[in-house]
Amino acid sequence: FCTAVASVRAQVQQEPWLETTEGTGIRINCSHPTKQRDDYIHFYRQLPGRSPEFLTLTIRASKNLLDIAGQLSVSEDGRSSALYLARPRRGDAAVYYCALGD
């Protein structure tokens, strides 16, 4: 079970590759040191052969994502975030994108 991640804008950095086994939680980290106060943090994923799918967005607040049994957490200063998948399944293998924007 593999999970790939990629950055969308130069201001965002992610690990180029992560992998886990089915059912073992995984944390997808995103660094955005140039985030401005009003920038939203967006997370998407792209399943093989599919278009990108919006997962969530936030400015600062952490939140639970019930649809994917995950959680988005944001650092206190807003300069990094992480998408945690608690119990990933094979169907969650995808490219996960983090981006800053309006």
Side-chain angles (χ1 to χ4, degrees):
F1 173 79
C2 297
T3 302
V5 295
S7 61
V8 175
R9 284 175 38 179
Q11 297 95 328
V12 171
Q13 298 171 343
Q14 294 178 259
E15 300 97 342
W17 183 261
L18 295 171
E19 87 180 82
T20 188
T21 56
E22 190 168 14
T24 301
I26 189 168
R27 183 180 214 76
I28 301 169
N29 295 307
C30 181
S31 173
H32 28 80
T34 62
K35 181 185 180 302
Q36 300 299 307
R37 180 180 174 92
D38 295 333
D39 284 341
Y40 281 87
I41 305 162
H42 302 250
F43 271 90
Y44 297 83
R45 74 175 174 184
Q46 187 169 13
L47 298 166
R50 310 270 293 273
S51 298
E53 167 191 10
F54 173 76
L55 295 177
T56 190
L57 64 79
T58 188
I59 287 185
R60 285 270 177 129
S62 298
K63 54 171 69 173
N64 291 321
L65 307 173
L66 300 178
D67 291 351
I68 59 170
Q71 182 178 33
L72 173 61
S73 58
V74 181
S75 66
E76 187 133 343
D77 64 7
R79 297 191 177 203
S80 64
S81 58
L83 179 64
Y84 178 70
L85 303 178
R87 294 176 303 281
R89 301 174 308 237
R90 288 189 182 272
D92 293 318
V95 178
Y96 287 79
Y97 296 94
C98 160
L100 292 180
D102 300 331

